[in-house]
Amino acid sequence: MAAENEASQESALGAYSPVDYMSITSFPRLPEDEPAPAAPLRGRKDEDAFLGDPDTDPDSFLKSARLQRLPSSSSEMGSQDGSPLRETRKDPFSAAAAECSCRQDGLTVIVTACLTFATGVTVALVMQIYFGDPQIFQQGAVVTDASSCTALGMEVLSKQGSSVDAAVAAALCLGIVAPHSSGLGGGGVMLVHDIRRNESHLIDFRESAPGALREEALQRSWDTKPGLLVGVPGMVKGLHEAHQLYGRLPWSQVLAFAAAVAQDGFNVTHDLAHALAEQLPPNASDRFLDTFLPLGHPPLPGSLLRRPDLAEVLDILGTSGPAAFYNGGNLTLEMVAEAQHAGGVITEEDFSNYSALTEKPVCGVYRGHLVLSPPPPHTGPALISALNILEGFNLTSLVSREQALHWVAETLKIALALASRLGDPVYDSTITESMDDMLSKVEAANFRGHISDSQAAPAPLLPVYELDGAPT
Amino acid sequence: AAQVLVMGPDDFIVAMVSSLNRPFGSGLLTPSGILLNSQMLDFSWPNRTANHSAPSLENSVQPGKRPLSFLLPTVVRPAEGLCGTYLALGANGAARGLSGLTQVLLNVLTLNRNLSDSLARGRLHPDLQSNLLQVDSEFTEEEIEFLEARGHHVEKVDVLSWVHGSRRTNTFIIGVKDPRSPDAAGATIL
């Protein structure tokens, strides 16, 4: 009876002991003709209950497990004459072994499923990192000439707008808040650099001369006919081009940010108040005075100014795109009429012919850094030339500031003289050659050789042509 | 000129400078509220200025042509690899802007000053037409005396140009305005 109980326990543990599965499966086999035990082997449920019985003494459990392992550790079964165990040809645990086999298959399925799932999740995460929108708002910075436009740029970034979206909104905002320095009727240049790809594009939306503009007309009456000074504005096409290349938010949404500034009003900046007080254009029209001096005198810094007219223009541009500005609509007709009324020669055709240029910036290497700047007709090459000249001086923190200032002054004289030779390369092929010279380190070393460490040059080293004759 | 500098979380750097030329451009305002520029003043033609400097043939007036420009949005990155200093700079003040940018780049890249200090330090500009070396109000008397001793004719002015900047070093980004500007602002997402 004790042996039967032991066999019963043995079978129970043989199938489910957590101690050593391989050892247990090498237990001595029982004979096929072994009489059925008085107490039947426990069924699966009973065994589960046994193993799961919280009242089972853990010490006796382990003791019995050790006892059952003893025979299997013997290499000579026949020497155990006193043992109640006999050799058998049939595995009494065949059912249990088959069950184990099934359980092994189940384990394989589970492991395979887990691995597949984990691989899928990993691949999805990697793809999200590289191709998806950033889930964590990282660092960024915006700087503009007006705090309200800086805040607007930050707002665009916070709404998952791209850097170019933020720049476009901020630039339009400046056209509202700082009308003395920029606006829809002007132009500019934008340099965009992609850090990851090390790619740069320059979008040049500088104004171009009207088709009917002649030097003689300007020479004769530029100061009495302000309409002659009006070039074809590039701002709208340039910003739209930048947005087409790099925008993430819809064009209409980006313009709506700026339109809200014009509609809701803004605080007059110190700079605008100063310009309205001291730099009003000569013969300012009634419309100009009504718009910017609504109370009849220059506004104080901080006072509220609204521009619902510009809000409406921005809404139209947001809906219709640059075509509303350039393709002969009301906005085009108004600008042409206003300029022609003031002696200008600009036409609707000039507007429809205008296009912003997308090109590569000029670049130079200065002390291990790549410096990117606009090509002609902008004076980026002169800036790089100045850096190339300065690179050869022993400019360190050990050199006195005064000595460094002297070198800088002499270098800038050369760079500015070089800048005065530049112009639009589309109209003069020699400008490309001048530009190549300016970017050359050898040429820079040549210029540096003409700079004295102790004396300012009495006369310019290079011929100087007219530079910024008018205040900008 | 107006400046916009952006370094966004998308790893793009944007530097933009725009202008109407003179304050309020031509002063012409359309019924829709658009101020028209006066950019044709940036062309060169004979006898335009009082100093009678030689006109530039390369920058003469021609239909469809773009005039010479000192709008200089500038970006700096490491020449090799990704690690190091990135800069976005802009300047106003026409030719004075070129002088200002050169000196700020020198302060950051050569003298290893931080961006705020680099923008704040005094700047100079040689006016080629008058042969005067203009220095701003940040210059000390000692510095001016030294320059004069070297043969420079120094003229002190309040402000030459505003240079704003943004800098990124690895993942740390900062936006800084020129302290001379009363209204500009730089904001950084931390």
Side-chain angles (χ1 to χ4, degrees):
Chain A
M1 196 61 189
E4 285 168 5
N5 286 343
E6 205 172 293
S8 171
Q9 279 196 8
E10 184 179 317
S11 91
L13 286 167
Y16 297 108
S17 168
V19 177
D20 184 342
Y21 178 77
M22 290 307 292
S23 299
I24 291 170
T25 53
S26 63
F27 277 179
R29 311 291 166 82
L30 292 172
E32 249 181 355
D33 56 347
E34 186 178 43
L41 287 174
R42 287 178 185 164
R44 173 76 183 267
K45 285 182 181 175
D46 295 338
E47 290 159 0
D48 285 347
F50 172 77
L51 288 172
D53 183 1
D55 296 333
T56 303
D57 181 5
D59 288 340
S60 63
F61 178 93
L62 291 172
K63 188 178 174 183
S64 62
R66 280 195 296 272
L67 286 171
Q68 289 151 16
R69 293 190 65 173
L70 282 172
S72 68
S73 62
S74 172
S75 57
E76 294 181 35
M77 295 296 292
S79 66
Q80 298 176 359
D81 295 335
S83 169
L85 301 176
R86 286 173 292 167
E87 190 174 359
T88 181
R89 295 178 190 284
K90 184 179 177 184
D91 186 354
F93 301 120
S94 56
E99 195 173 282
C100 285
S101 173
C102 290
R103 289 164 66 84
Q104 271 187 300
D105 289 346
L107 193 65
T108 306
V109 170
I110 291 168
V111 169
T112 307
C114 288
L115 284 174
T116 308
F117 179 73
T119 307
V121 169
T122 307
V123 169
L125 285 172
V126 169
M127 288 176 71
Q128 169 68 26
I129 289 166
Y130 281 96
F131 302 113
D133 290 335
Q135 299 299 304
I136 300 170
F137 193 54
Q138 302 159 330
Q139 283 199 326
V142 178
V143 189
T144 77
D145 285 306
S147 57
S148 54
C149 299
T150 299
L152 187 73
M154 295 292 277
E155 186 186 347
V156 174
L157 287 182
S158 74
K159 293 186 174 169
Q160 302 299 315
S162 67
S163 295
V164 168
D165 286 333
V168 169
L172 291 169
C173 172
L174 283 176
I176 299 160
V177 175
H180 55 300
S181 62
S182 77
L184 295 174
V189 59
M190 179 190 282
L191 178 51
V192 184
H193 179 71
D194 182 344
I195 292 176
R196 288 186 210 168
R197 294 182 180 170
N198 193 7
E199 285 180 359
S200 305
H201 281 111
L202 187 112
I203 300 148
D204 183 349
F205 45 100
R206 181 93 164 137
E207 300 89 333
S208 60
L213 187 65
R214 297 291 178 270
E215 185 177 282
E216 301 75 37
L218 277 170
Q219 219 175 331
R220 201 166 45 241
S221 46
W222 70 270
D223 48 351
T224 55
K225 293 181 176 176
L228 278 176
L229 305 179
V230 179
V232 187
M235 190 80 164
V236 175
K237 270 210 172 160
L239 296 184
H240 186 259
E241 177 73 16
H243 180 266
Q244 291 285 100
L245 290 171
Y246 301 105
R248 186 183 292 166
L249 299 178
W251 168 253
S252 57
Q253 189 181 347
V254 175
L255 266 69
F257 283 113
V261 174
Q263 187 66 46
D264 300 342
F266 57 91
N267 296 117
V268 172
T269 63
H270 290 84
D271 203 33
L272 176 58
H274 178 265
L276 287 170
E278 301 192 10
Q279 295 174 319
L280 276 183
N283 304 319
S285 66
D286 287 344
R287 188 184 298 130
F288 185 99
L289 297 174
D290 289 345
T291 302
F292 293 111
L293 285 70
L295 303 175
H297 55 80
L300 293 173
S303 56
L304 190 73
L305 189 62
R306 294 179 68 245
R307 293 296 306 276
D309 49 353
L310 278 185
E312 195 175 331
V313 171
L314 289 167
D315 283 340
I316 293 169
L317 294 176
T319 308
S320 308
F325 195 90
Y326 291 94
N327 288 1
N330 282 342
L331 293 177
T332 319
L333 295 175
E334 280 182 7
M335 288 186 281
V336 168
E338 191 68 27
Q340 289 186 353
H341 183 69
V345 292
I346 199 167
T347 63
E348 291 169 53
E349 196 180 5
D350 291 322
F351 277 84
S352 61
N353 287 340
Y354 184 86
S355 59
L357 300 177
T358 302
E359 47 196 344
K360 291 287 179 190
V362 292
C363 60
V365 176
Y366 176 72
R367 299 180 71 92
H369 294 85
L370 201 63
V371 181
L372 307 162
S373 208
H378 310 278
T379 49
L383 172 68
I384 289 169
S385 180
L387 293 173
N388 284 342
I389 296 170
L390 287 167
E391 193 175 32
F393 287 120
N394 183 27
L395 277 167
T396 65
S397 51
L398 298 176
V399 172
S400 72
R401 173 165 162 79
E402 290 81 1
Q403 180 62 52
L405 288 172
H406 167 72
W407 281 332
V408 169
E410 292 299 285
T411 298
L412 286 174
K413 286 179 187 175
I414 296 170
L416 291 166
L418 290 171
S420 74
R421 298 176 178 183
L422 293 172
D424 191 340
V426 175
Y427 291 79
D428 190 337
S429 58
T430 64
I431 287 168
T432 306
E433 293 169 25
S434 301
M435 181 181 77
D436 291 343
D437 286 347
M438 289 182 206
L439 300 177
S440 158
K441 298 251 183 197
V442 175
E443 199 70 14
N446 181 32
F447 287 133
R448 194 185 312 119
H450 289 87
I451 295 175
S452 161
D453 288 347
S454 56
Q455 273 299 310
L461 184 65
L462 300 168
V464 180
Y465 302 100
E466 189 178 72
L467 275 174
D468 56 328
T472 56
Chain B
Q3 307 171 48
V4 176
L5 307 167
V6 180
M7 283 190 179
D10 55 2
D11 286 341
F12 274 75
I13 300 174
V14 184
M16 180 189 151
V17 185
S18 58
S19 165
L20 288 171
N21 198 270
R22 291 194 303 196
F24 304 103
S26 62
L28 302 173
L29 185 69
T30 71
S32 296
I34 298 170
L35 265 170
L36 299 176
N37 66 84
S38 57
Q39 216 65 256
M40 300 301 96
L41 280 172
D42 274 356
F43 280 119
S44 176
W45 62 83
N47 303 321
R48 185 165 68 109
T49 55
N51 58 31
H52 301 294
S53 53
S56 162
L57 293 178
E58 290 83 357
N59 191 33
S60 61
V61 182
Q62 280 182 266
K65 194 173 177 180
R66 293 163 203 247
L68 181 68
S69 144
F70 280 94
L71 306 180
L72 290 173
T74 299
V75 169
V76 174
R77 67 163 290 142
E80 290 180 8
L82 288 170
C83 296
T85 293
Y86 294 80
L87 287 171
L89 297 172
N92 73 353
R96 291 175 292 281
L98 188 151
S99 298
L101 283 171
T102 305
Q103 289 163 84
V104 170
L105 287 169
L106 204 67
N107 288 335
V108 177
L109 302 179
T110 305
L111 303 177
N112 299 316
R113 298 186 186 282
N114 65 47
L115 186 57
S116 302
D117 188 31
S118 298
L119 296 176
R121 290 180 77 84
R123 296 194 282 264
L124 56 77
H125 169 72
D127 183 52
L128 300 185
Q129 263 91 37
S130 63
N131 198 27
L132 290 173
L133 183 64
Q134 297 176 326
V135 300
D136 71 15
S137 55
E138 300 298 319
F139 270 66
T140 63
E141 285 305 316
E142 292 75 28
E143 289 168 338
I144 292 173
E145 284 170 15
F146 177 90
L147 289 169
E148 286 178 334
R150 301 273 164 128
H152 297 282
H153 304 290
V154 179
E155 178 187 37
K156 199 165 184 175
V157 298
D158 278 346
V159 176
L160 286 168
S161 65
W162 294 339
V163 182
H164 305 317
S166 181
R167 179 176 189 166
R168 171 174 168 159
T169 306
N170 299 325
T171 55
F172 177 73
I173 301 177
I174 187 171
V176 185
K177 69 155 190 164
D178 192 319
R180 297 162 184 83
S181 167
D183 305 307
T188 304
I189 306 163
L190 294 174

